[in-house]
Amino acid sequence: MALSFIIPGLDEATSEKVIGILQERLSQEQEAALVLKHAHWNVAGPNFIAVHEMLDPQVDEVLAMADETAERIAALGGSPSGRPDDIVRFSTWPKFELEGRQNTLEYLRALDAYYDSFIKDDREAIKELDDLDVISSNIVQDHVLKLEQFQWFMRSFLTD
């Protein structure tokens, strides 16, 4: 990839590696917003309104994460890839399988598993970024904090 510029304190190879890690995070963030909206539209049954209304702020926050990640890629001299086919191209995580109108608990279980993978992938990115670019690592760390809170909200519905 040709960088537009190199920011002070990073060399080209490091910048490219950071951008690659962030691009994967961006694609998963974009997909997560779509998955959450899908669940928002399709939850049904007990606790419908509570779950339906809980998911929209998560969609907004995950989209804000994607924006922050994309802007970091641009600040590093890269060009963020945000088209639908880019999400698929950079995907390394399991597909969200739940379809159609389902009971709220089914969606919450599926979203809980999705968040497990999402948070794990972010934590792996943090480990890599810690040695490459602490600024980018801090951004992803902030995202994990929010994702863990969202997962806690979901898990609160899943207790017996």
Side-chain angles (χ1 to χ4, degrees):
M1 105 183 65
L3 299 179
S4 299
F5 48 82
I6 308 296
I7 62 170
L10 294 180
D11 59 35
E12 186 173 2
T14 301
S15 295
E16 288 177 351
K17 184 161 182 143
V18 170
I19 289 167
I21 294 166
L22 292 176
Q23 179 59 57
E24 188 175 295
R25 299 295 76 236
L26 171 60
S27 293
Q28 193 165 19
E29 290 160 354
Q30 289 179 287
E31 184 198 67
L34 295 170
V35 164
L36 287 162
K37 199 63 172 178
H38 167 78
H40 167 83
W41 292 326
N42 285 292
V43 294
N47 295 311
F48 159 77
I49 198 65
V51 173
H52 179 79
E53 290 182 354
M54 176 184 69
L55 294 176
D56 258 348
Q58 290 185 30
V59 171
D60 294 342
E61 191 63 45
V62 171
L63 285 172
M65 289 177 198
D67 189 55
E68 186 174 34
T69 302
E71 288 175 357
R72 181 65 182 159
I73 291 169
L76 289 164
S79 178
S81 299
R83 300 167 303 166
D85 56 318
D86 295 323
I87 295 171
V88 174
R89 181 165 49 111
F90 291 107
S91 176
T92 59
W93 51 89
K95 179 181 175 185
F96 187 82
E97 298 287 348
L98 201 55
E99 294 182 17
R101 300 213 24 103
Q102 301 285 333
N103 184 286
T104 55
L105 291 178
E106 292 304 312
Y107 266 106
L108 289 171
R109 285 184 191 103
L111 289 169
D112 182 39
Y114 186 85
Y115 269 100
D116 279 347
S117 175
F118 193 2
I119 292 167
K120 181 180 174 274
D121 291 346
D122 270 355
R123 286 181 171 277
E124 290 299 317
I126 290 165
K127 287 179 194 173
E128 290 182 78
L129 291 169
D130 277 347
D131 292 332
L132 298 169
D133 178 33
V134 69
I135 305 304
S136 296
S137 177
N138 287 342
I139 289 169
V140 179
Q141 289 174 39
D142 288 345
H143 295 179
V144 168
L145 180 63
K146 292 173 188 167
L147 295 173
E148 288 176 346
Q149 183 182 41
F150 295 156
Q151 189 177 37
W152 167 57
F153 292 167
M154 288 178 195
R155 287 178 171 174
S156 294
F157 281 95
L158 297 173
T159 61
D160 293 326

